[in-house]
Amino acid sequence: DIRQQHDHHREREEHRRGRADREAGGELHTNRHREDELRELQAARPAGLETEVFAYGRLPLAFSARCFTARHFNLQKDDCQFKCLEFPDGLLIRTREGEEFLTLNGIQTQSSKVYNLIGEVDALRELGVDILRISPQSQHTPELLEIFRARIEGTLDVQAARSRMAGLALAEPCNGFWYGKPGLDQIAA
């Protein structure tokens, strides 16, 4: 099972990092909050350099020279018949148990869930982030941009923003990566 293999690999990696940290006389650190990392980066940021944070959309996980959409239909990349146009938001891949796992979108492998930092906009503003990257989807992108703009300007609170976003996303939200947790988790902000 892919999930068990992933969990086993993650546990092995966390164990290896922890052992190295302990051997160096340090504490065990396995998950670090992205806000802490961003705070450190911002403190060392040269003047005039902008900071951009990916704030909404399916997380890009990997790129390939091979088009996965064409491969799914047993087509060569050079003769793909533009099959990706039939799946503007990608092809959802499920585990053997039927759980949503990944999305294949042309040459890109993406998360199945939609990364959403709408609840973290205030923290991002306080950290001095200049740009929030919103990944477009085939429908509702203008409405999502309006919601983010209202949050950035402070004219819409988190609960109202989440309420307005309900039904606009391609899939369930996630934000675990921001909190140093598994990326598919949704952590209450």
Side-chain angles (χ1 to χ4, degrees), residues 42-55:
Q42 291 292 74
R45 176 173 75 162
L49 185 67
E50 293 181 322
T51 302
E52 177 177 310
V53 171
F54 186 87

Side-chain angles (χ1 to χ4, degrees), residues 84-105:
C84 57
L85 295 176
E86 297 174 23
F87 306 94
D89 294 311
L91 293 165
L92 185 63
I93 304 299
R94 296 181 184 276
T95 64
R96 289 182 186 161
E97 294 79 20
E99 296 177 30
E100 295 180 355
F101 180 58
L102 296 170
T103 301
L104 299 179
N105 198 346

Side-chain angles (χ1 to χ4, degrees), residues 10 17 36 73 82 103 111 114 121 145 158 164 174 186 188:
R10 188 182 71 229
R17 278 188 309 210
D36 295 336
F73 291 98
F82 299 104
T103 301
S111 62
V114 174
V121 168
L145 291 171
V158 176
R164 284 183 53 190
C174 65
Q186 175 64 29

Side-chain angles (χ1 to χ4, degrees), residues 10 14 17 28-34 37 179-182:
R10 188 182 71 229
E14 287 176 0
R17 278 188 309 210
L28 174 61
H29 300 287
T30 56
N31 288 319
R32 203 162 163 211
H33 194 292
R34 299 297 174 252
E37 293 174 355
Y179 290 98
K181 304 291 181 196

Side-chain angles (χ1 to χ4, degrees), residues 114-117 119-120 162 173-189:
V114 174
Y115 189 64
N116 187 349
L117 294 185
E120 290 73 21
R162 286 190 176 134
C174 65
N175 63 4
F177 179 75
W178 176 254
Y179 290 98
K181 304 291 181 196
L184 295 176
D185 288 354
Q186 175 64 29
I187 310 299

Side-chain angles (χ1 to χ4, degrees), residues 64-78:
S64 173
R66 175 169 236 162
C67 176
F68 294 115
T69 307
R71 182 171 169 81
H72 177 77
F73 291 98
N74 294 318
L75 298 169
Q76 296 294 318
K77 185 177 178 184
D78 294 339

